[in-house]
Amino acid sequence: MSASTRRSAPPTGSAPAGEAVIDRLVEANRHYAAGFTDPGMGARPVLQVAVVACMDARLDLHAALGMELGDCHTVRNAGGVVTDDTIRSLTISQRALGTRSVILIHHTGCGLEKLTEDFRHELELEVGQRPAWAVEAFRDVDQDVRQSMQRVRTSPFLPHTDDVRGFVFDVSTGLLREIDPQF
């Protein structure tokens, strides 16, 4: 398939043999940009909310929460856990860009439930250097949501910690289940 043939239609599905997935994504961006109109919005989220969620590809956060472009800040990482870097992003979101609420979303069937901190040790043996970060693996998704809520609520860097709620997204039903922080 020639480059001109690939440009004639937006790419869909998996990349053809010999074509790198990033090439496919860049091509899709060209199609997107061809019809793009600057929405004229700023970086401040309209709903003044930050969403912290897992990076799992099954979570379509905007669709699941009924949000549009510009409604929220989204911070995603493995497990959706609140790490120092998550606090960094939330601090900038709140102090510089006006968010006041934080919603934490973990999910059923998370890959971090199958890992342990041994992952770091195995990685160190393989590459010869210990990662500076923790895996943040967990066995109980509800308890991990509670821990993440507590980390947000007790951070001295975050001025808005009164509207922090945590949920577990069921990847089979699409429903959110709220977690009681006091269990």
Side-chain angles (χ1 to χ4, degrees):
M1 180 184 297
S2 72
S4 61
T5 305
R6 281 194 309 258
R7 283 190 200 118
S8 63
T12 58
S14 60
E19 183 179 348
V21 68
I22 294 174
D23 291 337
R24 185 178 70 80
L25 299 175
V26 170
E27 185 63 27
N29 173 257
R30 286 188 188 103
H31 289 278
Y32 170 78
F36 182 79
T37 302
D38 181 353
M41 61 180 67
R44 290 178 174 268
V46 173
L47 299 179
Q48 296 182 318
V49 65
V51 180
V52 177
C54 185
M55 66 186 191
D56 192 292
R58 296 172 289 181
L59 278 66
D60 183 350
L61 295 172
H62 278 84
L65 299 173
M67 293 188 301
E68 302 289 330
L69 180 68
D71 281 348
C72 71
H73 282 160
T74 306
V75 180
R76 294 183 81 155
N77 65 31
V81 296
V82 175
T83 62
D84 286 345
D85 195 56
T86 305
I87 294 294
R88 171 188 159 270
S89 293
L90 290 174
T91 301
I92 293 166
S93 178
Q94 287 190 359
R95 292 184 176 268
L97 296 165
T99 60
R100 301 185 66 83
S101 301
V102 178
I103 181 172
L104 304 167
I105 302 176
H106 288 39
H107 65 92
T108 58
C110 184
L112 283 188
E113 291 177 291
K114 294 174 179 58
L115 290 177
T116 67
E117 290 299 320
D118 288 341
F119 181 82
R120 287 178 71 223
H121 178 70
E122 293 163 6
L123 195 55
E124 178 183 13
L125 291 175
E126 180 183 327
V127 302
Q129 181 177 341
R130 173 169 283 181
W133 39 263
V135 174
E136 297 278 354
F138 54 87
R139 294 284 178 252
D140 182 338
V141 68
D142 291 15
Q143 184 55 35
D144 200 62
V145 171
R146 284 186 198 94
Q147 176 177 300
S148 290
M149 284 190 281
Q150 185 66 17
R151 285 179 177 174
V152 171
R153 288 183 173 147
T154 60
S155 173
F157 305 109
L158 299 173
H160 306 292
T161 59
D162 55 324
D163 191 15
V164 177
R165 293 170 63 187
F167 298 83
V168 174
F169 177 87
D170 187 313
V171 298
S172 298
T173 67
L175 288 173
L176 290 174
R177 178 175 51 84
E178 189 159 11
I179 302 302
D180 182 350
Q182 304 303 322
F183 187 76

